[in-house]
Amino acid sequence: FPEQIICVKDSSYNLYEHLKIPGFSILPGSEVKLLRGLEIGCSGIITATCNVTANLSRKIYDDFKKNIPQTENDKLCNVRSVFDEYNLISAIHSYLSENDSCYKNILPPCSLLNEYDKNKLFDKLKELNFENNFLKVA
């Protein structure tokens, strides 16, 4: 530190509100912590669900930086909460596999959600009017 270690991912949420080191970034591990983290000086988030929530997360981030009132933070937090009801990796892979079969490849001990849970996941996301504009790399 500070040449090689410049940030930390905080999935425990023990650091992001308390640790303040000049030039050191803390990145909470959940979309639920994004806005609060930005408000107290965090740099952003690192989270697996950003594979599905990137557009919403980016809007929260950009609106915060531009001082625009937040309109989507509740939706982002609710979407993350839906994914949190399941094994996160299983839920993400199950969700993404609807658009791209390569996500059906998942290593044990994780597995795709069973049909009941998968349908429940999609129903809850639909209730939130959550649509993913799947990003493709050109």
Side-chain angles (χ1 to χ4, degrees), residues 55-78:
N55 292 337
L56 271 176
S57 298
R58 185 62 200 225
K59 178 161 180 38
I60 305 312
Y61 180 88
D62 288 343
D63 288 353
F64 177 82
K65 292 295 184 181
K66 294 175 185 172
N67 233 5
I68 297 172
Q70 294 293 332
T71 59
E72 299 290 332
N73 190 59
D74 288 343
K75 183 176 185 177
L76 175 64
C77 293
N78 290 335

Side-chain angles (χ1 to χ4, degrees), residues 134-138:
F134 290 97
L135 303 174
K136 292 286 184 183
V137 176

Side-chain angles (χ1 to χ4, degrees), residues 20 23 33 67 77 79-80 106 108 110 112 120 126 133:
K20 306 293 180 206
K33 308 293 185 188
N67 233 5
C77 293
V79 168
R80 172 59 193 243
I106 188 168
C110 292
L112 295 175
K120 211 163 89 173
K126 187 175 182 178
N133 299 325

